[in-house]
């Protein structure tokens, strides 16, 4: 399906699906492809509601593989998540670590340490952000980075305003983001942790390839801005437009259809 007004930067790097379920199956196929090709560099993973059906489709796909192929995926698996809340660890059900355990590590039977995230319980979150960025670098840098789109244009937890060279860091979350993520905390934005550790725009843009996934009518406004506005700090995701390895995958509700 063509875009109503396709910006030049998007060219042929765009796919749109009628239904969120078809989008999830397609993204799962692309993630699986990374392993079929022999994972050369770590995967960059995201959390959030957009990724839930994606990971569920990925688990279904991988668990249906012949045993030797599934075992091969398990042996290859090496991923780094974008972010984590400050003050939450794997034992807190609202943490991204717990989310990754529930959605991927446990159902796929991945060994501990294969799915890595910043340590939200670190005594010094700023130092943890630097350590985590170093760990990504040491592991060879991200090959394919999976990204969702925040309702205020953030990627990872790179809140606006944000430049393309923003480093991995610990930061305070905006009111808009705490509201966006309240569902995982009983619907109460004040229960969403006030701080987070995130890979910076610098590290995200350092990935070899980027898969930006936008799903659902709630993202129509911010996606329209992304498709219209030139890169700038008020819309952190806009810095992705210049990335040569960007692919944008959306569903029709996200396009306002
Ligand atoms: C969250 C996360 C992002 C996520 C984005 C979209 O705050 N930090 O990694 O991709 O916002 O979330 P959702 O898919 O729930 O809309």
């Amino acid at each position: 399906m063509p875009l109503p007004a396709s910006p030049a930067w998007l060219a042929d790097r765009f796919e749109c699906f009628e239904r969120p379920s078809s989008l999830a199956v397609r993204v799962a196929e692309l993630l699986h492809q990374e392993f079929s090709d022999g994972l050369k560099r770590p995967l960059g993973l995201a959390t959030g509601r957009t990724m839930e059906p994606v990971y569920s489709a990925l688990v279904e796909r991988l668990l249906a593989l012949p045993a030797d192929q599934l075992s091969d995926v398990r042996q290859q698996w090496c991923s780094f998540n974008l972010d984590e809340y400050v003050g939450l660890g794997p034992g807190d059900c609202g943490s991204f670590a717990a989310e990754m355990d529930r959605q991927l590590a446990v159902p796929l039977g991945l060994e501990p340490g294969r799915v890595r995230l910043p340590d939200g319980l670190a005594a010094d979150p700023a130092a943890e952000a630097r350590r985590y960025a170093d760990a990504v670098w040491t592991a060879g840098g991200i090959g394919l980075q999976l990204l969702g789109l925040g309702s205020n244009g953030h990627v990872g937890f790179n809140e606006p305003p944000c430049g393309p060279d923003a480093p991995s860091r610990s930061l305070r979350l905006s009111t808009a983001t705490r509201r966006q993520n309240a569902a995982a905390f009983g619907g109460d934005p004040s229960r969403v942790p006030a701080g987070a550790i995130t890979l910076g725009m610098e590290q995200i843009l350092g990935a070899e390839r980027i898969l930006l996934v936008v799903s659902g009518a709630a993202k129509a406004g911010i996606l329209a801005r992304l498709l219209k506005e030139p890169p700038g700090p008020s819309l952190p995701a806009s810095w992705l437009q210049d990335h040569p390895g960007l692919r944008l995958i959306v569903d029709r509700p996200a396009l306002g259809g």
Side-chain angles (χ1 to χ4, degrees):
M1 182 182 139
L3 273 178
S6 183
W9 58 266
L10 205 49
D12 56 354
R13 308 185 297 170
F14 170 79
E15 289 177 64
C16 178
F17 292 88
E18 286 296 322
R19 291 187 307 278
S21 56
S22 323
L23 170 145
V25 166
R26 173 62 175 149
V27 177
E29 178 189 21
L30 292 169
L31 292 172
H32 179 198
Q33 188 71 44
E34 293 295 300
F35 295 99
S36 315
D37 292 347
L39 195 69
K40 293 173 191 73
R41 295 166 73 182
L43 273 179
L45 296 180
T47 45
R49 278 157 295 184
T50 308
M51 299 309 158
E52 283 175 24
V54 168
Y55 293 152
S56 152
L58 181 63
V59 166
E60 191 180 328
R61 188 180 180 94
L62 296 180
L63 291 184
L65 291 173
D68 60 326
Q69 289 180 33
L70 175 58
S71 157
D72 189 48
V73 169
R74 288 185 179 126
Q75 290 307 314
Q76 291 187 65
W77 195 287
C78 174
S79 63
F80 287 86
N81 269 70
L82 286 162
D83 42 22
E84 181 58 284
Y85 293 111
V86 168
L88 298 192
D92 297 291
C93 66
S95 71
F96 291 154
E99 203 170 308
M100 294 306 286
D101 276 347
R102 274 195 306 270
Q103 293 177 29
L104 282 180
V106 171
L108 289 177
L110 300 175
E111 292 163 0
R114 296 260 173 194
V115 178
R116 297 165 71 174
L117 298 97
D119 178 4
L121 298 177
D124 181 345
E128 169 59 9
R130 290 190 294 272
R131 182 205 64 79
Y132 189 68
D134 284 348
V136 170
W137 176 255
T138 305
I142 302 298
L144 180 68
Q145 175 66 62
L146 183 62
L147 290 179
L149 179 63
S151 50
N152 64 354
H154 71 234
V155 285
F157 271 134
N158 288 278
E159 297 274 42
C162 168
D165 50 1
S168 297
R169 62 205 184 283
S170 160
L171 76 171
R172 289 189 69 76
L173 295 173
S174 67
T175 307
T177 293
R178 292 177 78 196
R179 206 179 303 126
Q180 177 203 285
N181 289 359
F185 296 87
D188 179 358
S190 73
R191 287 178 51 203
V192 178
I197 296 168
T198 186
L199 283 181
M201 273 320 296
E202 186 184 21
Q203 283 71 35
I204 291 172
L205 292 170
E208 186 177 68
R209 287 160 293 125
I210 293 176
L211 202 54
L212 176 62
V213 183
V214 191
S215 173
K219 299 290 170 64
I222 196 69
L223 179 59
R225 274 189 64 195
L226 177 64
L227 295 173
K228 203 167 52 198
E229 293 181 19
S234 68
L235 184 53
S238 65
W239 300 116
L240 305 172
Q241 295 174 14
D242 292 333
H243 194 288
L246 175 70
R247 268 167 103 159
L248 175 63
I249 300 194
V250 307
D251 57 27
R252 193 196 276 275
L255 276 181

